[in-house]
Amino acid sequence: MKIGNLIGVAGASIFKNKMRTLLTMLGIIIGVSAVIVMVAIGAGAQGQIERQIQNLGTNMLVVTPGSTATGGVSLGGQSGSGLTVEDAEVLSSQSFLLSGVSPVISTFSQAVGGTGNWRAPILGVDVDYQVIRDWDVVQGEFFDETDVRTIRREVVLGNTVAENLFPNGDAVGQQLRLRDVPMTIVGVLEAKGQTAEGSDQDDVILVPYTTVQNRLAGRQFVSQILASAYSSDDVPAAQAEIQAILRDTHGLAPNEADDFTVRDQGELADAAQETTQVMTLLLAAIASISLLVGGIGIMNIMLVSVTERTREIGLRLALGAYGSDVMKQFLVESVVMSLFGGLTGVGIGYASSAAIATFTGWSTAVSVPTVLLALGFAGAVGVFFGFYPAKRAASLDPIEALRYE
Amino acid sequence: MTRPAPLGAPVIEARGLERVFQMGGTEVRALRGVDLTVGRGEMLAVMGASGSGKSTLMNILGCLDRPTAGSYALDGVSVEGLSKNQLADIRNQRLGFVFQGFNLLPRTSALENVELPLLYDRSERELDTKGLAAAALERVGLADRMDHDPAELSGGQQQRVAIARALVTKPSLVLADEPTGNLDTHTTMEIMALFQELNAEGVTLLIVTHEPEISRYTQRIVELRDGRIIHDGPVRERGHALTDLQARADLEPASAR
Ligand SMILES: Nc1ncnc2c1ncn2[C@@H]1O[C@H](COP(=O)(O)OP(=O)(O)OP(=O)(O)O)[C@@H](O)[C@H]1O
Ligand SMILES: [Mg+2]
């Protein structure tokens, strides 16, 4: 059969049975658009995390208690292996490569003031914290070195806390009670949004670490020490320097492992990216299953259609079609429907991704490789699942097929 | 591929055709030695009771089925030992089929239906498929219905489309298995008139029927019983379908048909 005739015959069959065609394509349409949307959401999340890591701070290094070799942070609470405020002070005084160092003492407290109560994490930090995190103050100012040294009862509020307790925007200068200790609000931080993990970075109260140590009762520990290198080129050297100083301060013998971990932004980014990549893969896998189900749907309807078109097949065979012509016709029909279904799916996936981005605020990113992959997969599904029905059609006996009611 | 027909060879030359169907353990002997020779331009009726083997013979003559024993040559070319695809080519180029149930493709215009066999033409020649299909439709009197779907056509018109489809490849032989079985008397006569016209133009026609009314319009009647030919002879007093149609119209001028 001439190729032009083959395409004409298959095309006519597709266009003349719009309902059947639509039903056949439906599974593929849904499958492909699911793949596109899922991957777009995953890739969008990835991009967002990258951006968030970018604005985490400048050339930041994070020291956490516990060694990576023995399972990381979980060991941090054990006696003797924690980080102390002294560690931060030693780093600050001995290092050459660090532009700033700040301990971070974490605790929780009810904050009372303004319109009522707010339970927020309280971070006891040094002045450098603001520079390291590259975090601007929009109202008032950050506490200074004197405030830290003289253990002033001053706080800087994260944007979320400020908005909730002082909706009128007049937080600076007002009083706030943390565990019954009155504090003065000296500044409000600019909004930074969510972290990669989805927690609100602005739901925080910053207090001089000395004040947290001396004025606030309750469980306190240095959860991390933040530091920043002068430039991004200095980051690896600074990391080594921190390691050397802390090993010395902690009195570790050369054969002993670190009892702390120093991470730079890159590592954080890698870790976060790995997580989202796994998530993207997972989403794609789930979506691929729907594509597979779509393929089975094609086979289903094609098989039904072979039965329904038995007389047509018998007629074509009687009029001189080879079994291979009938087979090719059904295969072309199946592949064309899969590909058109795939294209429609790409369109719908694209539109849905845009809609999801608009309505949820998530960022989504439709990538060209995904689109091509989904289309290729749809075509393959068409061949694979069209093959069996096509073979069935080709092997029909014309006499019996013509007699079929 | 098909070889050119030797000049003067009969269209059908069958000797000792037998066809045995295996039905589980039992054998059904549908044909038990059929000899048949049909010359070019003949128009014959194959008659017989239900189950006598008419369709079985038709399928073998139409190269849709193979005999269990016996020989069959179409246009002087023996079909014995030909492959499935070679038989398909013979059906495509030398045979035309007209079925009782019309067997038109639904949602497909008359023109495209008639074009169908030409799409499976494997010869090198360039065919104006649409033009040939249109000419065939014109020949059967449906020039003004080419764009109509089967659903928009009457039974008689549908059968005309099917006849045009059988003629479009200019076959050596047109086989029609109960072509008027689904039609009323008037339409049946119209179709027979068309067959007679085509035959007069040289088309060789073999029509299966069990209605004596229809066999009257052919030249020769072959009668089967239990897979054997029990009668083979010319039609005495051959009818002329067109004249009969006019006579009927004169008889009942106001009949609601
Ligand atoms: N595929 C088959 N398998 C088994 N037996 C068959 C098959 N086809 C036909 N037969 C048998 O062969 C015999 C002849 O059948 P055939 O269809 O040729 O009869 P027919 O003369 O065309 O009858 P009708 O006028 O009812 O169409 C019947 O007994 C039938 O049951
Ligand atoms: Mg029959």
Side-chain angles (χ1 to χ4, degrees), chain A residues 8-24:
Chain A
V9 164
S13 181
I14 289 172
F15 282 109
K16 278 170 184 152
N17 294 280
K18 296 204 175 60
M19 194 62 190
R20 187 178 73 203
T21 302
L22 190 75
L23 281 175
T24 314

Side-chain angles (χ1 to χ4, degrees), chain A residues 132-151:
Chain A
I132 299 170
R133 294 290 316 270
D134 192 16
W135 207 341
D136 286 342
V137 174
V138 287
Q139 283 171 44
E141 54 194 12
F142 212 79
F143 39 78
D144 61 21
E145 272 169 43
T146 323
D147 299 328
V148 175
R149 218 174 337 104
T150 56
I151 318 178

